[in-house]
Every structure is written in structure tokens, then in C-alpha cells.
Amino acid sequence: MSAKRGTLVLVAACLIGLATATPAYADGVRSQQWYLSSLDLASAQAVTKGGGVVVAVVDSGVDATHPDLQGSILPGTETAGTKDSDGRGTALASLVAGHGHGAGGADGVLGVAPGAQILPVAFAPRTGEAGDPAALAAGIDLAVSKGAKVVCVGRGVAPNPRLREAVENALAADVLVVAADGDVPNATFSPWPSSILGVLTAIPLDRAGNVAVTPASRQTSGVGVPGVDLISATSGGGYRLQTGATGTGLLCGAAALVRSAYPQMSAEQVADRLRETATDKGPVGPDSQFGAGVLNLRAALAGATAAPGVSPSASHVVVGPEQRPVGVALTDSRDWRRWLVVLPLVIFLAGLVAYAFRRKA
């Protein structure tokens, strides 16, 4: 083989290797989770990641195949589905217990309590429907019977005696019900189950920490959580930006952390802990805008010792090519940014080829 031909073969081999073995980079999703720093999530998760707590997401089902949730979704039953009709249930679940994917779980959505397990209960399976209150009541009953310690409801439905009974039964069984208390601005939102006594409600806040949507229940016992520009997982392996009720998942994750860190606390005490440690804002004391205040995870977990968490399995941190999520800009092999990593070496190899040609001549 001639020196010139040998040089060309070497260069081609190097370029092929670079195209297939470029180091992994962040997919851009984690960097859009602006609220991770405002919640000081790293400090909270140094205490606990929610291990040992089952959170029921009573919504449209949860996509159990999403890379950020694989291994965290409990098996479905006859009325609890591991498929999601419109992505809302998957979004809530990811903000509760998303563990990301890729090397070290650095890509994708990180939830507040990645060590928690999700029980998916589908009561609103058709896109665009609010959901039947009796079906929601049955879903809450099912969640309690399956061992959930926190029930997450990200919708508002019509008032119903059966729903009130289900919530009261859940509280009597030491299960905390967390519900949305508003969705998007200028949209009608029915304040149920958020108006039921004992329910911990999520008030959507904007990036500046101001109320983005006035609580529909007008109660003073809610807690403010980030509620705008929330990037979350969605069905089909992708992601989407959410505003409003999806922030309920963050409060449910917070409840899971407290339940894990303080296993001796009752559901009522957990709710009280989150309210009492919330940062007061607006008029002094609880009010109908900010409720009890803004979620403060550091204060809620103060004094807790590091709780044993659930070690992530390999599926939590390693995702094969066939499992890469879709729907995120700049994540596939055509992303121009990945070539910035190899450009200097490409230029060097091109110079080497030119040098070989000149020397041969």
C-alpha cells in the first residue's frame, strides 16, 4: 500500500470513528429546568430522593417506556394504565419522579423525588376531557388500595359527593391528596378536589415567584410552586413545555421527599410541614393568593437525617440508541454542535493529508 493511500485510509478510519464515538453531551432538557436551582433540589436530594414512597398519578395514564421514567412505574391494573392518551399524566409523573437518562442520568427530566415509585391511574383517558368526578373518586380509591402514600391530581373536575368521600377516606387511611388549584390564565378551572378540606393544593407561580394563576379554590392553605415554562416528559418518549396545573407534580414530589425523610409523620402532618415551612409572600400570613407561601424544600427537610434511597438501576442511567427520546431539538446525530467537538481534529487530519500529497509530489 502506498504512503499516500495509507494516509487516506487512516484519515477515513478516524473520521468514521469520530462520527460513531463522539462523546455524549447534554440534550438541552435539563438546562431548561429553571426551577431546579430555585427549589435548591440538589440540597434536598442530598437528604432523600423519596425512596420507599409510592405516588399515584391519577390522570391520563403514564408512558412507562419513557427513558426518564423506566423502572419507576409500577405495573398497571384493570384501571391503572401504563400508557398515556394525551401526555398529561406522563408530564406529572416526570416532575414527581423523573430520573433522567444517559450517562449518569444527566440528560432528560429530573423530578423532585427520583427515588419514588409511580402508580399510574387513568381516569381521563381521552384527550381534552376534564374527567368524570366519579371516575376520579374511583381512581383515588384504587390508589389507596394499592399502597400509595401520595395521590397526585393535576385536574379540576365538577364537585361530587362521591369525590369528597374518596378524599376523606384517603386522608383517614393516611394518604395525602395533592391537587392543582389552577391551570392557565383566563381559563375556567373547577376547584375540585382542591376545595375539599385536607387536600394540599398547588398554586402556580411564575419565574419571579409571583402568582401566575389565582387559586381557583380561594383557600389559604395551598403552597406556591413553579408553574410556568415547565419542561416535562410526554408520551411517546418526547418532551413538552407546560404551564399551570402540571406544577402539581413538583409539590407531589416534595410531599414524597418529606414522607421519605419523616416516615413517622402522618399525611396531615406532612401537609402541615410543607405549609409551615413555606416562605411567606404577599400579605403577612396565609392569604388567598399565595396560600401558606412558597415551597421551601430546604426548610421542609431541615433536621432530617439522610434517608436510605432507592439506588437507580442501570435502566435509570443508561439508554441505548433505540431508546433515545424524540421531540427534543438538537438531540440527534445531525446536531451541528457535536461537530464542534471534532472540528479541530478534522482540520488537523486534513492538513496531514495535504502534507502527504506535497511530500509525495
Side-chain angles (χ1 to χ4, degrees):
M1 181 183 293
S2 68
K4 180 169 71 176
R5 184 180 179 188
T7 301
L8 290 173
V9 169
L10 175 62
V11 171
C14 289
L15 290 175
I16 291 171
L18 287 168
T20 57
T22 303
Y25 57 87
D27 61 10
V29 172
R30 189 67 54 80
S31 63
Q32 294 184 61
Q33 289 191 268
W34 60 269
Y35 44 87
L36 296 184
S37 58
S38 66
L39 292 176
D40 196 8
L41 199 55
S43 295
Q45 292 181 354
V47 177
T48 177
K49 293 185 178 180
V53 178
V54 174
V55 178
V57 175
V58 187
D59 202 274
S60 56
V62 175
D63 181 359
T65 68
H66 196 289
D68 296 351
L69 289 167
Q70 285 179 352
S72 297
I73 310 301
L74 295 174
T77 67
E78 65 279 3
T79 56
T82 51
K83 295 182 179 180
D84 189 353
S85 61
D86 67 1
R88 288 177 59 110
T90 302
L92 287 167
S94 68
L95 295 185
V96 175
H99 49 61
H101 66 268
D107 296 346
V109 171
L110 178 65
V112 174
Q117 292 182 298
I118 297 294
L119 173 69
V121 180
F123 88 98
R126 288 181 291 276
T127 302
E129 72 172 9
D132 178 71
L136 174 56
I140 293 173
D141 288 343
L142 176 65
V144 173
S145 71
K146 294 297 182 180
K149 300 303 290 182
V150 179
V151 172
C152 184
V153 182
R155 301 184 188 232
V157 299
N160 184 285
R162 175 71 182 84
L163 178 60
R164 180 182 295 277
E165 179 185 23
V167 170
E168 291 174 347
N169 288 341
L171 295 173
D174 193 30
V175 178
L176 178 59
V177 178
V178 183
D181 202 5
D183 195 9
V184 296
N186 304 316
T188 301
F189 186 87
S190 181
W192 301 91
S194 60
S195 291
I196 299 174
L197 184 64
V199 172
L200 178 64
T201 61
I203 302 169
L205 306 179
D206 62 20
R207 288 175 179 255
N210 297 317
V211 174
V213 180
T214 301
S217 71
R218 301 291 181 176
Q219 301 290 327
T220 63
S221 55
V223 173
V225 293
V228 301
D229 301 333
L230 305 178
I231 190 164
S232 59
T234 190
S235 52
Y239 301 90
R240 65 182 181 185
L241 281 175
Q242 299 284 111
T243 290
T246 305
T248 307
L250 299 175
L251 188 54
C252 291
L257 293 185
V258 175
R259 297 225 78 165
S260 179
Y262 300 99
Q264 76 282 4
M265 282 189 179
S266 67
E268 182 179 3
Q269 289 172 327
V270 169
D272 287 343
R273 177 77 176 181
L274 289 167
R275 294 186 184 110
E276 291 167 0
T277 58
T279 302
D280 191 30
K281 195 166 183 178
V284 177
D287 62 83
S288 60
Q289 289 291 311
F290 288 93
V294 179
L295 176 64
N296 187 331
L297 285 176
R298 180 187 288 271
L301 296 173
T305 56
V310 177
S311 300
S313 66
S315 64
H316 283 195
V317 296
V318 180
V319 178
E322 73 282 359
Q323 297 172 313
R324 291 290 296 182
V326 298
V328 182
L330 303 175
T331 57
D332 63 26
S333 60
R334 293 166 294 183
D335 180 359
W336 61 271
R337 294 183 304 177
R338 74 181 298 170
W339 294 104
L340 294 179
V341 179
V342 301
L343 186 57
L345 189 53
V346 170
I347 293 173
F348 169 76
L349 292 174
L352 183 62
V353 171
Y355 172 77
F357 270 103
R358 286 197 303 272
R359 187 171 182 182
K360 185 69 176 178

